[in-house]
Amino acid sequence: MATTITVLSQKGGTGKTTAVRSLADVFSRAGARVLCVDADPQGNLSDYFEVSPDAHPTLGEVLTGRAEPAEAVHDGVIPANLGLAEAELVLAGKLGRELTLRKALREVDGGYDFVLIDCPPTLGLLTVNAVVACDYALLTTEAQYFSLQGVEQALEVVELARENLNPGLGLLGVVLNIADMRTAHSRNTQETLREHFGEAVFQTVIRQSIAYAESAERAVPILDYRPDRGIDYVELSIELLDRLGRPDLRDAAEALKQKLLRARWDGWAAG
Ligand SMILES: Nc1ncnc2c1ncn2[C@@H]1O[C@H](COP(=O)(O)OP(=O)(O)OP(=O)(O)O)[C@@H](O)[C@H]1O
Ligand SMILES: [Mg+2]
């Protein structure tokens, strides 16, 4: 059985899509089989994976019952496009609307280790579906003044899903993303988050770097484009896999980290 992880945030632009893309990449390099689900009508994740705009069916067709879930998997991704916004409206009028994605994913039997779901920047029906469909929620937040409220609101959705529809739902953690830890503001945000959410906040902080936008534009994984930055996602993966109790994959991710560090050292030593 695959472990399903939903990446969500109350705000837009907290690096959700980049996190899904980069974690999927690290998990794959560690030897895991990963399925990514784009639950955002913006379709950014689909673009990042260079899924053809003509790929059909997509998540929208699956959620409205017009396609079988397995048919919507294109090269390890269930993509989305603007049609998903329409599908969300159709879904809103249906009984069991919050459970649709959960049911659909149960039917995808691809022998995956992980299913990673990317959410839109709202806490609406698509995000609720994603949270109801998963085993763990992973929250991302930027290092900004309103981070605390944003995380609290996203946590409320997680709590509601747990109380009503998904009692087994776990909180994987909160990751501070797109952070410049040289600023006092970012460090204060981190401290505030730790005070409120304690151990739920990952030790790893994903540092801010223009390399992420550049690599997204080129549809190249950050580990290929700027491994010295992408190593943050390897470190986050190590923490995640520890929390998930997957020592096999954790060790593989640790080996990947050591390889990256050696390459950096060799590069430096060679001048
Ligand atoms: N660590 C980072 N440092 C700097 N920029 C980043 C980082 N991670 C992501 N970005 C950039 O920030 C922008 C937003 O990232 P991303 O699309 O992953 O966020 P999102 O939460 O999925 O956004 P949305 O809420 O619109 O779906 C993108 O241009 C992305 O390339
Ligand atoms: Mg996104």
Side-chain angles (χ1 to χ4, degrees), residues 13 15-18 38 40 42 44-45 118-121:
K16 293 178 290 296
T17 303
T18 306
D38 191 349
D40 181 358
Q42 295 181 100
N44 295 151
L45 187 70
D118 184 27
C119 288

Side-chain angles (χ1 to χ4, degrees), residues 13-117:
T14 61
K16 293 178 290 296
T17 303
T18 306
V20 169
R21 175 67 180 105
S22 305
L23 291 172
D25 183 45
V26 176
F27 287 0
S28 303
R29 287 175 201 238
R33 294 201 57 202
V34 185
L35 171 68
C36 288
V37 180
D38 191 349
D40 181 358
Q42 295 181 100
N44 295 151
L45 187 70
S46 311
D47 290 343
Y48 205 159
F49 277 104
E50 285 196 306
V51 178
S52 160
D54 302 327
H56 185 88
T58 64
L59 188 63
E61 283 80 38
V62 172
L63 293 183
T64 49
R66 285 177 287 160
E68 294 299 321
E71 294 168 3
V73 180
H74 306 274
D75 290 331
V77 185
I78 299 185
N81 53 37
L82 272 180
L84 183 58
E86 210 180 301
E88 186 181 18
L89 292 176
V90 174
L91 201 61
K94 292 201 170 163
L95 202 66
R97 56 183 176 248
E98 295 94 352
L99 295 162
T100 314
L101 181 59
R102 183 184 181 90
K103 284 188 186 145
L105 290 181
R106 276 204 198 127
E107 286 172 36
V108 182
D109 180 21
Y112 297 104
D113 297 291
F114 293 103
V115 177
L116 302 181
I117 309 176

Side-chain angles (χ1 to χ4, degrees), residues 147-268:
S147 299
L148 187 61
Q149 290 93 319
V151 174
E152 272 169 351
Q153 285 175 23
L155 275 176
E156 272 173 33
V157 172
V158 173
E159 277 300 319
L160 275 175
R162 186 186 291 135
E163 280 167 20
N164 294 295
L165 295 160
N166 188 7
L169 175 61
L171 173 66
L172 197 48
V174 179
V175 59
L176 188 59
N177 207 347
I178 320 184
D180 182 354
M181 298 312 282
R182 291 168 302 185
T183 67
H185 182 63
S186 291
R187 291 195 300 274
N188 290 343
T189 306
Q190 187 184 34
E191 228 165 76
T192 309
L193 288 172
R194 287 242 165 87
E195 274 165 22
H196 280 78
F197 308 113
E199 293 292 298
V201 181
F202 289 100
Q203 293 295 325
T204 306
V205 170
I206 307 295
R207 290 167 295 168
Q208 182 179 50
S209 165
I210 189 66
Y212 285 94
E214 292 169 352
S215 71
E217 207 176 3
R218 293 165 174 78
V220 174
I222 191 71
L223 274 180
D224 288 330
Y225 187 70
R226 278 288 299 273
D228 58 323
R229 289 295 173 169
I231 198 166
D232 291 356
Y233 274 104
V234 180
E235 287 178 347
L236 180 62
S237 298
I238 292 169
E239 276 195 80
L240 279 173
L241 293 164
D242 258 338
R243 290 185 186 195
L244 291 167
R246 294 297 302 264
D248 48 336
L249 294 171
R250 185 224 181 267
D251 290 350
E254 178 64 41
L256 176 60
K257 177 181 162 184
Q258 294 310 325
K259 198 171 118 193
L260 291 171
L261 289 174
R262 259 195 320 274
R264 187 151 84 185
W265 173 255
D266 290 348
W268 181 79

Side-chain angles (χ1 to χ4, degrees), residues 132-144:
V132 170
C134 71
D135 302 300
Y136 294 97
L138 174 61
L139 273 52
T140 57
T141 178
E142 271 186 287
Q144 282 183 357

